[in-house]
Amino acid sequence: MVLKWRERLCLEPEWNEFKRWPFLDSQTLSLEKRRGYLTNARIVAAILDGRPVKSVAESFNVTPGRVSQLMDRCLAGEEDTPPALTTGLIPHQRLETSSRRAVLGTVGKPAGDRCSFQYLLATVPGLADYLMTQIRANVRRNKNSQNLTPRRFHASFIAYLNDQDWPKDTYPFTSSSLGYESCRRLLERSLIDMQMPKEHRRVLGAKTMPVCAFQEIHIDEAHVDCKGAVAVVLHDQMKPLRLGRISLLLARDVGTGCDLAATIALSAHPNSADVLALLEQLVQPWEPLALTAPGLSYSAEAGFPSALDESFCRPTFGIVRLDNALAHLSHQVRRMICEHLSATANFGLPKNPKARALIEQAFRRLNLDIHRFPSTTGSHPNDPLREPSKLQKNPPFVSLRALEEAISVLLTEYNLTPLANQGGITPLEQMQYQMTNHLLPLRASNLGPGLGPYQRSQMVTVRKGFRAEAPRINFEGCQYLGSALNSADLLNQKVTVLFDIRDIRSLQVFTLDGRPLGVVQAPHTWMRFAHSVSLRKRINHLVRQDVVSKRDPLGGFFDYMLAHRHLPKEALSLVKLAKLMPEEHTQPTKAAEDTMPNSGNDSALQRALERLPDWNPDMAKKRR
């Protein structure tokens, strides 16, 4: 998600003080750039001190748009990438690599030659590999290589384009030099890079493995090597649907080899909320699933360590090792590990799974049992255990519920399997022995005030509503109302809202000095069931495309999912949506019964409440 500079300061408040920004020696800049850098630094420091944008613009004789542009240059960007900060203050400093967005021009429609050579390398199939193979052979002095010169290298470049039937009215044939200078620069730069001395290979990971419990934990996610099905009741008919692949998130202790927690994400690509759910299970007591599949049962002592005793829910974790997935680099995940779990987050080196070989071993062991299902995807395209093509048109035999139960039973049973590297002791027994006989530190139960792992805060402005007595707050495309805003002093003033990313139907409002004002609610059309920020964004995107009606967005989105239920990915999203709806639909009826005043005719009231129909997707169509 792309953040503006104000959103960046809300998520990462440590950048609110300019003295915490990285130091840059202005003496290394030229005189002209130094003047612009110091002026930009004064503008940014004034904004961070809390001065209004218009006031700062008047003080430095610039436009307010220039001030906002400078703040976005320093702080805006992707949520999971660090901001430019001090580098963005240097005038004319390029922060991103140049690239060509438009297609190449022709003789009749010229479009310029900027970055056209890089566009060719990325567009023409095999061109980049062909050129680099020639350069690499020249450096290694192979017997079948040639002594490359810029002229010969450029001739090979033109010959390859002719072999690929590249249009003659497009770059490089529209240039007088035919891209000779770009080829020469590529050759010289690549030769210099390949002739540089190689560094010694880095030692990855510790030489001695940890032996204490909770000293090091490996966390990773992987696709479950099996596809499931689900049954949907529509118009009093049960229709089975094929679902897309789900993901398993697993946490494993290195010292004992014990699986600590696991969670299922109903998506092929888990997000930060799924990682937070796994981290939350590390400190919550484990509860077994209610097994419904025939033949599945938990052993008497099977389970995760958090089910043994309450002390297992309060350990002090040492190092939590993850990979460089975007879900792991989220600000909420880092805050959960460092602040709530009191651990050290280690993201390791990119594309280096061997540093976390223990968690990869757990996934491999699980796939050996998952391959017993007929709907397995196999280990490779030619795997004989792969689901045959004649079965891929119909829904799999294994349901989603049975697949989740099988994974839970397999993971808990593994904790009761003796390991050779633990002296023939099971991981659960080793964990229990260390917790009983070793001095392992425990985490404090009261972490003090602060945001929860699923909570976010954001600064918004109280606006005047359509009626004078109903001020509003604009948040994620909706207008929130409530008695907490019914004060004339709050109009056009900044307030802080606190919300749960899993359910944004209500917001807690605070003043800038931390005084609570109350709770505001979303419109009634968004109160039907709990929904997250990402789901709200997707529904609003469909509303803007006139796919879903804005009069009933949640009901329309459910109808949209039912219409596209034949797609495995959309069917999986429908299952996620259906898990939120049943219990949420029963709450308004219960609340109405609890708040209804007592009367003498209770039986008539009860009969009237029973005649109220339950909500179903057809109601949204009737209202239209």
Side-chain angles (χ1 to χ4, degrees):
M1 184 176 65
V2 179
L3 300 178
K4 296 295 184 181
W5 66 272
R6 290 187 176 90
E7 297 174 350
R8 176 77 69 179
L9 293 178
C10 293
L11 291 179
E12 301 180 9
E14 61 268 17
W15 306 129
N16 276 296
E17 298 183 12
F18 187 73
K19 62 181 181 181
R20 292 190 177 183
W21 288 29
F23 172 75
L24 190 148
D25 189 5
S26 60
Q27 301 297 325
T28 59
L29 304 176
S30 62
L31 180 60
E32 184 178 355
K33 287 189 176 182
R34 191 187 312 161
R35 292 173 180 172
Y37 168 77
L38 295 177
T39 302
N40 294 339
R42 295 188 186 100
I43 294 176
V44 172
I47 293 295
L48 296 179
D49 287 341
R51 293 180 55 185
V53 175
K54 292 184 178 180
S55 176
V56 175
E58 293 176 358
S59 302
F60 291 90
N61 196 20
V62 294
T63 61
R66 171 57 183 165
V67 177
S68 299
Q69 180 187 18
L70 181 61
M71 296 299 297
D72 284 336
R73 178 178 168 85
C74 298
L75 295 172
E78 294 289 339
E79 180 183 4
D80 299 323
T81 58
L85 298 177
T86 316
T87 309
L89 299 176
I90 304 176
H92 312 296
Q93 178 73 19
R94 188 178 296 276
L95 302 180
E96 298 179 356
T97 306
S98 299
S99 60
R100 185 182 182 89
R101 299 181 180 178
V103 297
L104 295 177
T106 59
V107 176
K109 295 181 180 179
D113 295 339
R114 182 176 181 271
C115 300
S116 297
F117 188 76
Q118 286 79 6
Y119 186 86
L120 283 180
L121 295 179
T123 304
V124 180
L127 176 60
D129 295 337
Y130 173 74
L131 297 178
M132 296 306 298
T133 301
Q134 287 193 346
I135 300 174
R136 196 175 296 109
N138 181 36
V139 173
R140 295 176 179 175
R141 308 298 296 175
N142 295 339
K143 63 179 181 179
N144 56 350
S145 64
Q146 59 175 328
N147 297 325
L148 281 182
T149 61
R151 182 177 57 84
R152 296 168 184 168
F153 186 69
H154 178 256
S156 301
F157 167 70
I158 297 298
Y160 187 87
L161 293 180
N162 291 330
D163 293 340
Q164 296 293 325
D165 294 332
W166 188 252
K168 297 301 185 293
D169 61 342
T170 311
Y171 180 89
F173 299 107
T174 57
S175 175
S176 59
S177 63
L178 300 180
Y180 176 83
E181 183 63 21
S182 299
C183 288
R184 185 190 65 81
R185 295 179 61 182
L186 174 64
L187 175 62
E188 293 184 356
R189 184 172 61 250
S190 301
L191 287 176
I192 293 175
D193 292 340
M194 293 183 182
Q195 291 173 356
M196 286 289 179
K198 301 298 182 180
E199 296 182 358
H200 295 286
R201 184 172 298 179
R202 297 179 58 181
V203 178
L204 305 177
K207 295 182 179 180
T208 58
M209 297 294 292
V211 294
C212 297
F214 308 118
Q215 184 177 351
E216 183 177 326
I217 297 174
H218 290 179
I219 292 180
D220 201 358
E221 64 272 350
H223 296 308
V224 175
D225 204 3
C226 181
K227 294 181 179 180
V230 69
V232 175
V233 179
L234 187 62
H235 303 301
D236 297 332
Q237 294 182 358
M238 181 176 295
K239 298 182 179 181
L241 301 177
R242 172 179 285 269
L243 300 178
R245 296 178 67 183
I246 61 178
S247 300
L248 172 66
L249 290 86
L250 183 63
R252 191 177 184 188
D253 182 70
V254 179
T256 61
C258 186
D259 293 333
L260 301 179
T263 182
I264 296 292
L266 299 181
S267 173
H269 304 284
N271 53 20
S272 58
D274 299 323
V275 182
L276 291 176
L278 176 67
L279 296 175
E280 190 178 25
Q281 288 191 11
L282 292 177
V283 295
Q284 297 293 335
W286 175 75
E287 295 182 0
L289 297 177
L291 301 180
T292 59
L296 291 180
S297 62
Y298 292 106
S299 300
E301 300 179 355
F304 292 120
S306 58
L308 298 176
D309 187 67
E310 64 176 3
S311 60
F312 285 84
C313 300
R314 296 193 299 110
T316 298
F317 301 103
I319 300 177
V320 178
R321 294 191 181 273
L322 309 98
D323 57 10
N324 284 263
L326 293 180
H328 296 168
L329 300 175
S330 173
H331 180 75
Q332 286 74 26
V333 173
R334 288 180 291 173
R335 183 161 55 87
M336 176 70 172
I337 295 175
C338 299
E339 298 181 7
H340 294 271
L341 298 182
S342 302
T344 301
N346 185 292
F347 299 101
L349 297 176
K351 300 180 181 180
N352 182 40
K354 292 184 178 180
R356 294 172 293 103
L358 195 69
I359 194 70
E360 301 295 342
Q361 177 189 8
F363 288 129
R364 180 181 178 275
R365 185 181 185 277
L366 180 66
N367 284 334
L368 295 179
D369 295 308
I370 294 297
H371 281 176
R372 300 180 64 180
F373 295 112
S375 59
T376 177
T377 59
S379 301
H380 49 84
N382 297 326
D383 194 340
L385 300 179
R386 187 182 176 93
E387 184 180 19
S389 58
K390 64 179 181 180
L391 300 180
Q392 294 180 0
K393 296 182 180 180
N394 299 322
F397 177 76
V398 180
S399 65
L400 176 63
R401 177 67 181 180
L403 184 58
E404 293 178 349
E405 294 175 359
I407 293 174
S408 177
V409 171
L410 289 174
L411 292 177
T412 53
E413 287 293 334
Y414 177 74
N415 287 338
L416 297 179
T417 303
L419 299 180
N421 59 351
Q422 299 292 338
I425 302 177
T426 65
L428 207 58
E429 292 176 350
Q430 180 70 8
M431 178 72 70
Q432 194 169 8
Y433 174 81
Q434 291 198 19
M435 291 293 294
T436 305
N437 299 278
H438 293 182
L439 296 177
L440 299 180
L442 298 180
R443 188 180 64 258
S445 57
N446 186 11
L447 299 178
L451 294 179
Y454 294 99
Q455 290 181 334
R456 282 190 184 181
S457 63
Q458 184 173 334
M459 187 181 301
V460 297
T461 304
V462 179
R463 301 296 183 183
K464 185 177 181 180
F466 297 103
R467 302 190 308 272
E469 67 274 15
R472 57 183 170 83
I473 288 178
N474 295 333
F475 179 78
E476 292 296 338
C478 290
Q479 298 180 359
Y480 286 73
L481 304 175
S483 59
L485 305 178
N486 295 343
S487 176
D489 298 336
L490 294 177
L491 290 177
N492 299 324
Q493 299 296 322
K494 297 285 187 180
V495 295
T496 303
V497 294
L498 184 65
F499 59 95
D500 193 324
I501 60 176
R502 301 168 297 179
D503 186 5
I504 56 174
R505 292 179 295 178
S506 61
L507 309 176
Q508 300 180 23
V509 186
F510 298 85
T511 60
L512 296 183
D513 56 359
R515 180 171 57 88
L517 297 178
V519 180
V520 293
Q521 301 287 342
H524 293 290
T525 55
W526 291 94
M527 295 293 292
R528 181 163 294 162
F529 55 85
H531 55 279
S532 62
V533 178
S534 59
L535 182 58
R536 171 82 65 84
K537 290 181 180 294
R538 184 182 181 187
I539 295 177
N540 284 334
H541 178 70
L542 296 177
V543 170
R544 289 191 296 268
Q545 293 183 341
D546 295 332
V547 178
V548 175
S549 174
K550 63 180 179 181
R551 294 185 301 173
D552 186 16
L554 293 179
F557 180 70
F558 191 81
D559 294 341
Y560 173 81
M561 301 300 296
L562 285 177
H564 297 78
R565 63 185 183 274
H566 59 281
L567 301 175
K569 181 179 179 181
E570 300 297 341
L572 196 60
S573 301
L574 182 62
V575 174
K576 295 171 59 177
L577 192 63
K579 287 189 175 183
L580 299 174
M581 296 182 63
E583 60 180 5
E584 294 293 337
H585 287 326
T586 58
Q587 290 181 1
T589 306
K590 293 181 179 179
E593 295 176 0
D594 296 338
T595 57
M596 190 70 67
N598 295 328
S599 59
N601 194 4
D602 293 338
S603 59
L605 176 62
Q606 184 66 25
R607 289 194 301 271
L609 292 175
E610 292 177 354
R611 287 196 296 269
L612 290 176
D614 294 334
W615 183 88
N616 60 77
D618 296 332
M619 290 185 176
K621 300 179 180 179
K622 292 179 181 179
R623 286 196 296 271
R624 298 172 186 170

